[in-house]
Structure formats: C-alpha cells, structure tokens
Amino acid sequence: MTTALNSIPLTTRNANLHDLNAILQQQHACKLDIVAGTAMLQAEGCHLRITGAEPMISEYGVTPADGLYLPTEIGDAGIGDKLGIPASYLRKTRTQAPSLWDTNVNGWLDLHQGKRYLARCLSDGNGSGILRAFLSDGYKIIDNLDVLMAVLSGIRDSGLQVHFSCDLSERRMVVRVHSEAIKSLAPALLGNYRSPFTGATGADNPTVFAGLVFTNSETGGGAFSVVPRIVVQVCNNGVTITRDALRAVHLGAKMDEGAIRWSNDTQQANLTLIGKQARDAVHRFLDVRYVQRKIEEIEEKAGQRIPDPDHTIKVIGQRLRFTEDEQRLILNHFIDGGDRTAGGILHAVTSVAQTLTDPDAAYDMESVGIRALEIAATA
C-alpha cells in the first residue's frame, strides 16, 4: 500500500456525514498503531524512527511498521508528556534548534529504558509517515470510524430522523445531531433575542430542538462521550448540557510490543457497546420532557439583567480563558443579539462558536455556554 499522506485531510469543519465518512475511510486505510519499547525508538532529524516492529498485514495489503515518522503538534506534545520534556521547549527546539530536539528526545529515551509507548501513526506504505500521537501502552483504542458507524447504528435503532453536522481535527471528532421532530418552546429564553446572523427574532420563533453531540479522540484528547444538546431554531445556536454527559474513558490493559492487530471479536465488542450507548442516549436525551426540563433550568438564571456587559464579559473571559479577540467577538454578538440578560450572554457565546473556523475552538466555546450563563447571572 502506497499513499500520498498530504492528500488526506486531517481536519474539516461543518462537514456532512458523507464527507466525514470519506475522510475517516482514507485515514483508516493508512493507520498504523505500534507499541514500542524505548529500545525501538530514536530521534532523527526531528522525526521519530521506529525499528524492530513487524509489518502490518491487513485488507489494505502489507505495511512496513519500521520507519521514520514526523510528529504532529499533538505527537510532539505526547512525546514531551511521556518523557518529561516541557512541550513549549520541545516546540521551540523543533523550529529554532532541530539538533536539540533530537538530543533531548534521545537523552530522555535513554533515561526511560524498559518503558513502552503506543505510537499512533499514519503510514505512506514506504516506511515513513506521520506520528499522530504518543501515548501510554495502556491506552484503549476507540477509533473514530468505529464510533461513527456505531453511533449511526444506534440512531437507526431509535427510528428517529435527525440532521448531522460534523467536525474533525487532529485532536477529536465531533458529530452533532438534532431532531426537528422533538421540539419545545423557550419564550422566556428567546423572547428578547435577535439572531446576529439574520435579524430574525426569538419572539416570533421561540422553538428549540432536541439534539446530541458525540465526540471521540484517537490521539489522547479525551474520552468517547455523548452530550445532550439543545438547538435554537432562530439562529442554530447549540447549547450543550455537559453535566449530563456519558463518557467512556480510553483506558485498557497493557499491550505487547509490535504493530497492533485487533481481533474481530474485540472490534465488534467495542462497536456493540458504543452502539448501545448511542441508542440509550437517543432515548434518554432526544425526549421532549428532557428538553422542557432543561429549558426550565436555564430560564431560571437567564433573566438576570446585565448592567455592564463589558465588565461581565471580561470576568467570563478570565474564568473561562477566552482570548481578547474572543471576548471582543462575544461582546459584539451580545450587542447584536439585543438581549441585555444572562441569557443574552449564553446566546452570544454559542453564536460566536458557530463562526470559529477551528473545530477545537468551536467545540470548546460551545461547551462552556451554560457556564458563561451561570457566571453572568452572578457577576
């Protein structure tokens, strides 16, 4: 198997289901997971060389595992974390003093003799490729493609018609779904709100839909999770209810050295479990009673008037670590939204999240919308 890795997208924003599936299929064909002891690893020209691993034999052909792999930013961070090298220093050596990258990594590999790590790579089939992540050898692999197929199976079992919007980054996959058949009204939350995108008002259309967010990381960026989400029809803002999330942590048994070959039984067990979780989440969260209950909880705090929006948004920015640019965007959306309440802060944060082009930044911002509401109500 020979593949031009630079032709395979690693990120996408607001993709449809078909496009996300196509990208994951391309990545899946190039994946190579190697458990390597320190004796099998050497830094060379800001790459990580792996030696002594048997080739991978799969439906895609024979892929040599030994090779020279260029770490991504996440790969570098993993190397730094596992070897005790500050990530900022490692990034600096890569760009300003490449020989020091090699010296530091090799030096600390020598000091970690006997340890084993999981190298998650994309291979070009010719002994080179990308090091996507450098993780513990006890990391439980739950792949994005398997998660996507299992989630779709769980949703199909529910019989509901849903809409999809998908993000993919080097850190995580995010699949957002909502059902327009399961809806409720939120007049207290939306009555004074105006969409910053279209000017449409919540007073004319106070409808919200039930939804979910499925996330997974293949590179150590977090557990597989299912989070309920409420979608505001008038502006398509998404409110995630993180406190009700279901999670499956990527922890497993220690693995032997060499390229990993998962048995069909192991893969099917993972798929079955994730599919059941997806199906259960659909039944639990895509329910009008759940949506109504959560809207009531949000509306209890949403009506608090904000006398000094600039001060409030600065306080929120400090607590939630928003950048100055992000705070400025939130203030602009708050003004455009026309709602001088804590609910208006929630709308501003979630509408700004829609405009961010970086998938991780968008996910992180939307995820703290409720927290921003709570801070605004008490600031």
Side-chain angles (χ1 to χ4, degrees):
M1 178 192 72
T2 301
T3 303
L5 292 180
N6 58 9
S7 67
I8 299 177
L10 297 180
T11 66
T12 187
R13 180 86 167 99
N14 292 325
N16 60 39
L17 197 59
H18 177 270
D19 290 341
L20 176 65
N21 179 61
I23 292 172
L24 295 182
Q25 292 285 356
Q26 287 180 284
Q27 291 185 2
H28 190 71
C30 300
K31 280 181 185 173
L32 188 61
D33 295 318
I34 305 165
V35 175
T38 51
M40 300 167 63
L41 302 171
Q42 183 176 8
E44 183 179 318
C46 284
H47 290 61
L48 193 66
R49 182 173 289 282
I50 299 176
T51 57
E54 295 182 359
M56 169 67 77
I57 301 174
S58 70
E59 67 269 29
Y60 303 106
V62 179
T63 304
D66 286 357
L68 199 61
Y69 298 93
L70 176 64
T72 63
E73 183 177 341
I74 292 173
D76 258 349
I79 291 172
D81 177 63
K82 297 306 175 190
L83 300 184
I85 308 170
S88 59
Y89 171 74
L90 204 57
R91 287 194 300 269
K92 185 176 181 179
T93 61
R94 173 176 293 283
T95 58
Q96 299 183 25
S99 62
L100 285 180
W101 192 94
D102 293 354
T103 299
N104 278 274
V105 172
N106 284 329
W108 286 100
L109 282 172
D110 287 342
L111 291 173
H112 285 75
Q113 286 298 321
K115 295 288 185 69
R116 296 186 306 186
Y117 306 98
L118 171 62
R120 303 215 69 188
C121 306
L122 293 179
S123 171
D124 68 357
N126 290 318
S128 64
I130 297 168
L131 176 69
R132 307 165 60 223
F134 193 76
L135 303 163
S136 163
D137 65 335
Y139 184 83
K140 181 180 179 182
I141 294 175
I142 305 177
D143 278 337
N144 289 336
L145 185 60
D146 288 343
V147 167
L148 182 63
M149 293 299 104
V151 164
L152 293 179
S153 175
I155 291 174
R156 276 196 300 269
D157 288 346
S158 74
L160 285 174
Q161 294 293 317
V162 299
H163 299 270
F164 292 88
S165 177
C166 310
D167 289 351
L168 182 67
S169 72
E170 294 180 35
R171 187 173 301 279
R172 66 168 68 89
M173 174 183 72
V174 179
V175 178
R176 300 178 179 89
V177 305
H178 73 272
S179 171
E180 294 184 357
I182 302 172
K183 57 188 176 182
S184 184
L185 299 178
L189 178 62
L190 296 171
N192 296 318
Y193 179 60
R194 179 176 62 247
S195 169
F197 306 117
T198 66
T201 66
D204 291 335
N205 185 8
T207 304
V208 297
F209 301 125
L212 294 167
V213 183
F214 297 91
T215 68
N216 187 59
S217 176
E218 298 182 334
T219 56
F224 162 69
S225 69
V226 187
V227 184
R229 182 174 188 255
I230 295 171
V231 178
V232 177
Q233 185 177 26
V234 72
C235 58
N236 208 35
N237 289 349
V239 180
T240 53
I241 318 295
T242 55
R243 288 171 184 161
D244 292 349
L246 306 177
R247 290 184 173 87
V249 179
H250 290 247
L251 296 177
K254 298 291 184 180
M255 296 178 283
D256 295 332
E257 288 184 355
I260 298 173
R261 301 171 178 84
W262 292 112
S263 69
N264 289 333
D265 289 346
T266 299
Q267 290 176 325
Q268 190 55 51
N270 282 338
L271 289 173
T272 300
L273 175 61
I274 293 168
K276 287 180 178 178
Q277 289 176 320
R279 183 192 61 204
D280 292 347
V282 167
H283 287 303
R284 178 177 173 183
F285 298 134
L286 296 192
D287 180 276
V288 69
R289 291 165 298 181
Y290 175 83
V291 175
Q292 290 170 342
R293 187 165 66 251
K294 292 302 167 182
I295 287 296
E296 289 173 1
E297 292 175 7
I298 293 170
E299 288 182 336
E300 285 181 6
K301 300 173 182 177
Q304 179 67 41
R305 183 169 173 79
I306 306 299
D308 187 346
D310 187 58
H311 170 74
T312 299
I313 289 171
K314 285 180 179 177
V315 171
I316 291 170
Q318 290 170 354
R319 295 192 190 179
L320 300 181
R321 298 183 179 180
F322 292 149
T323 67
E324 289 186 5
D325 285 343
E326 288 170 341
Q327 292 177 44
R328 198 156 37 244
L329 284 170
I330 292 169
L331 179 59
N332 290 339
H333 277 239
F334 180 78
I335 294 170
D336 291 344
D339 185 351
R340 290 285 300 268
T341 68
I345 294 288
L346 170 64
H347 298 314
V349 170
T350 53
S351 62
V352 167
Q354 289 191 65
T355 70
L356 300 180
T357 58
D358 179 86
D360 292 324
Y363 172 80
D364 291 339
M365 181 168 286
E366 182 179 291
S367 297
V368 297
I370 291 290
R371 183 68 184 125
L373 163 74
E374 293 171 342
I375 294 171
T378 58

